[in-house]
Amino acid sequence: MRGFNIGLFGFGTVGQGVYDILKDLNYSKLGTIQKICVKDPVKSRKISKENFVYNKEEILLDEKIDVIIETIDDPEEAFKIVKTALDHKKHVITANKKMLAYHLKELTNIAKTQGVAFLYEASSCGSIPIIRLLDNFYTIDELLYVGGIFNGTTNYILHKIDEENLIFQTALKQAQEKGFAESDPTNDIEGLDSLYKLIIITYHAYGIMLDVKKVPLLGISTLNDIDIKFAKKHHLKIRLVAYSGIKNNQYVAFVLPIFVNKNSPLYHTEYEYNAVVLESRYSSQQFLKGKGAGSYPTASSIIADLQSIANNYKYRNHKESTVNIGTIDFDKDIKFVVYLRKNVLSDNILINWEKRYVLDNQEFGIANVNLKELKKITEEIRKSNGFIALWNDPWNRKNTHLENHIEQVKEVNQIEI
Ligand SMILES: NC(=O)c1ccc[n+]([C@@H]2O[C@H](COP(=O)([O-])OP(=O)(O)OC[C@H]3O[C@@H](n4cnc5c(N)ncnc54)[C@H](OP(=O)(O)O)[C@@H]3O)[C@@H](O)[C@H]2O)c1
């Protein structure tokens, strides 16, 4: 095995993790970082100034550099860097999920044409090797679904709300103080970060490139006291999940909050942990739990990708489906049972309530929603500060435990919350 000449883009949380691990391993056989490109020339750094460049071309046009590790926080600029690197026949490793959610297919095609590796394990669920797993397994044995908790920030917030009875804003502030949530947490709490990862994972699970705008999506930013008390009343926890799979013989994908009971592996996924649940026809259910973010967990996936490039590994993308971008619609008649809360005055949507309660101008309870209405309903609900969470557990195809809860709810006329 020869050592790579590495060009590193970004020296923030992830970039420094990559630098530290390579130094710690003292494993120059794998590769040596030749240059690091960052943005701010006056920022103080923990290593000497000679290591840094500020013009991307100093790395991209350097013929000696054969591997690019891209860890910057600007998706548009990251796309330009990655595309140019692939065009120059350099192997590329990236952690940038937003950039991949929009450009994965195009960049994959360039990498194929150029005969170089393009790997991005760190982009989805940090240290959990889910992309590699999907790329190598579940071919003849059909994958029924893959999904789970893909965002550590929201999981930390939900865990703290549940454990310490914190309100949403306090839990968010704690997540920011701990460095899990960024100063602008929109991508996390609105579910976009989970959606980007779902798009990457779905591409490797089913060969389908989902359209960011079409997937039903609701985060946890509108979660309020009524929703939290409703969950507690039924001994359930709220989690934000992403799901991609086959339901009633139809392909379905969404990012939504869900109520889980103590039989679900997601119930026990706490703090900033991520979890992936998947099931194939013959393997039965499988569960992976691990750190989905942070300097070293994320960098460990990047180092694993580097090792794979040394072993001539490239994603096989063999599940490349005949379904083209845009042909996956969500117009099917698939019924979802949901917990829903909305303002009584917002009547832009007609709700098919199974059980409805009213408190302080808020109506809430259990309702039936069809997949084809789900996108519109989630958008209306977000606008009016309402909330939706799946009541049925999509991982449990028998759904017995939550159906029991519905029976209990039906029997209760007055709910004390
Ligand atoms: N943090 C995590 O746990 C985690 C986990 C998985 C994936 N990711 C992904 O990894 C990427 C990096 O995240 P991070 O948390 O490490 O970000 P970060 O701590 O904010 O660091 C970003 C780095 O990118 C550099 N940068 C920004 N624009 C640049 C440009 N145009 N040219 C060169 N360098 C530029 C910054 O330079 P300066 O130092 O000069 O400001 C900084 O060093 C993001 O795509 C993120 O989504 C992060």
Side-chain angles (χ1 to χ4, degrees):
M1 190 169 71
R2 69 188 174 87
F4 289 115
N5 290 318
I6 301 164
L8 176 63
F9 281 88
F11 200 65
T13 308
V14 180
Q16 289 190 45
V18 170
Y19 179 90
D20 286 353
I21 295 181
L22 274 177
K23 199 162 162 236
D24 187 44
L25 289 173
N26 192 17
Y27 197 52
S28 52
K29 264 202 228 160
L30 189 54
T32 319
I33 296 175
Q34 302 294 340
K35 293 175 190 167
I36 305 169
C37 181
V38 285
K39 195 174 175 184
D40 184 349
V42 293
K43 203 187 244 186
S44 79
R45 312 275 174 190
K46 69 175 191 184
I47 56 172
S48 72
K49 232 175 155 34
E50 291 77 66
N51 292 287
F52 296 97
V53 296
Y54 308 95
N55 175 359
K56 62 184 174 196
E57 298 190 337
E58 286 194 46
I59 291 181
L60 292 172
L61 301 182
D62 184 338
E63 285 181 3
K64 287 194 295 303
I65 290 181
D66 42 17
V67 175
I68 298 296
I69 299 180
E70 185 285 303
T71 72
I72 74 168
D73 58 345
D74 174 344
E76 279 86 38
E77 192 56 27
F79 172 65
K80 289 181 200 155
I81 290 167
V82 169
K83 188 172 179 312
T84 311
L86 293 173
D87 282 339
H88 284 80
K89 291 194 189 305
K90 296 184 193 300
H91 303 294
V92 173
I93 300 169
T94 178
N96 202 311
K97 55 223 143 182
K98 183 171 182 186
M99 186 266 292
L100 290 167
Y102 285 94
H103 300 292
L104 180 50
K105 201 160 181 161
E106 179 188 346
L107 294 172
T108 299
N109 288 340
I110 299 174
K112 257 188 207 158
T113 311
Q114 298 289 52
V116 289
F118 175 46
L119 304 181
Y120 36 81
E121 189 64 67
S123 66
S124 303
C125 304
S127 66
I128 302 177
I130 181 61
I131 297 177
R132 193 68 54 87
L133 187 66
L134 291 169
D135 199 58
N136 288 290
F137 279 76
Y138 318 110
T139 46
I140 294 169
D141 185 5
E142 182 196 2
L143 189 70
L144 301 177
Y145 59 76
V146 57
I149 297 169
F150 291 178
N151 182 270
T153 307
T154 44
N155 207 55
Y156 183 86
I157 293 169
L158 292 168
H159 171 72
K160 285 284 176 172
I161 287 172
D162 184 65
E163 281 290 294
E164 296 174 22
N165 292 320
L166 300 185
I167 60 164
F168 179 81
Q169 287 307 335
T170 314
L172 170 61
K173 197 159 169 276
Q174 279 195 12
Q176 284 170 321
E177 281 162 7
K178 288 247 174 199
F180 299 135
E182 291 171 29
S183 51
D184 177 5
T186 313
N187 274 351
D188 293 325
I189 64 175
E190 299 297 352
L192 281 161
D193 180 80
S194 299
L195 175 57
Y196 299 148
K197 294 167 186 167
L198 185 71
I199 290 173
I200 300 164
I201 283 173
T202 297
Y203 187 62
H204 285 268
Y206 295 107
I208 296 168
M209 191 71 200
L210 293 170
D211 183 336
V212 173
K213 289 191 218 75
K214 285 195 178 163
V215 180
L217 165 76
L218 190 78
I220 60 163
S221 63
T222 57
L223 179 73
N224 83 3
D225 211 33
I226 294 179
D227 316 322
I228 295 162
K229 285 185 177 160
F230 195 88
K232 288 214 158 156
K233 170 98 188 162
H234 295 94
H235 311 289
L236 302 169
K237 286 184 183 176
I238 300 169
R239 293 286 181 258
L240 180 65
V241 294
Y243 179 93
S244 176
I246 316 292
K247 194 169 155 52
N248 304 354
N249 298 320
Q250 297 290 346
Y251 175 76
V252 179
F254 54 78
V255 175
L256 289 173
I258 182 178
F259 284 120
V260 288
N261 74 12
K262 63 177 181 334
N263 297 325
S264 165
L266 303 183
Y267 186 97
H268 307 283
T269 304
E270 297 173 324
Y271 295 96
E272 73 277 22
Y273 275 83
N274 279 200
V276 179
V277 191
L278 47 80
E279 183 172 343
S280 69
R281 190 161 298 287
Y282 301 106
S283 70
S284 190
Q285 193 177 77
Q286 296 174 329
F287 177 67
L288 292 96
K289 179 173 159 185
K291 294 213 163 151
S295 185
Y296 292 162
T298 309
S300 79
S301 280
I302 291 178
I303 301 299
D305 279 350
L306 189 62
Q307 172 75 61
S308 298
I309 294 177
N311 293 334
N312 292 319
Y313 178 83
K314 297 186 182 75
Y315 293 140
R316 294 187 293 158
N317 291 315
H318 55 293
K319 292 171 198 158
E320 192 77 37
S321 104
T322 48
V323 187
N324 291 320
I325 299 172
T327 58
I328 297 293
D329 54 49
F330 295 95
D331 291 344
K332 307 288 177 337
D333 271 343
I334 298 173
K335 192 184 98 172
F336 286 88
V337 182
V338 297
Y339 161 85
L340 194 148
R341 174 182 53 76
K342 64 186 265 298
N343 193 300
V344 280
L345 302 175
S346 68
D347 49 10
N348 289 345
I349 37 171
L350 207 62
I351 303 294
N352 173 12
W353 292 104
E354 184 136 349
K355 191 75 195 170
R356 172 177 168 272
Y357 309 93
V358 178
L359 185 83
D360 299 336
N361 278 341
Q362 298 282 301
E363 53 184 347
F364 61 96
I366 304 302
N368 294 303
V369 175
N370 217 302
L371 178 63
K372 62 182 165 194
E373 303 154 348
L374 192 58
K375 181 79 189 158
K376 184 168 172 253
I377 290 180
T378 51
E379 278 162 12
E380 289 296 332
I381 289 285
R382 188 188 302 111
K383 271 189 240 158
S384 63
N385 274 326
F387 190 69
I388 288 187
L390 289 180
W391 189 251
N392 277 3
D393 186 338
W395 329 110
N396 181 347
R397 283 181 295 131
K398 290 192 191 129
N399 276 330
T400 46
H401 49 283
L402 287 179
E403 270 161 20
N404 288 342
H405 279 296
I406 292 178
E407 288 311 311
Q408 282 172 27
V409 174
K410 275 182 181 161
E411 286 161 17
V412 181
N413 288 325
Q414 198 61 44
I415 188 159
E416 290 164 25
I417 63 165

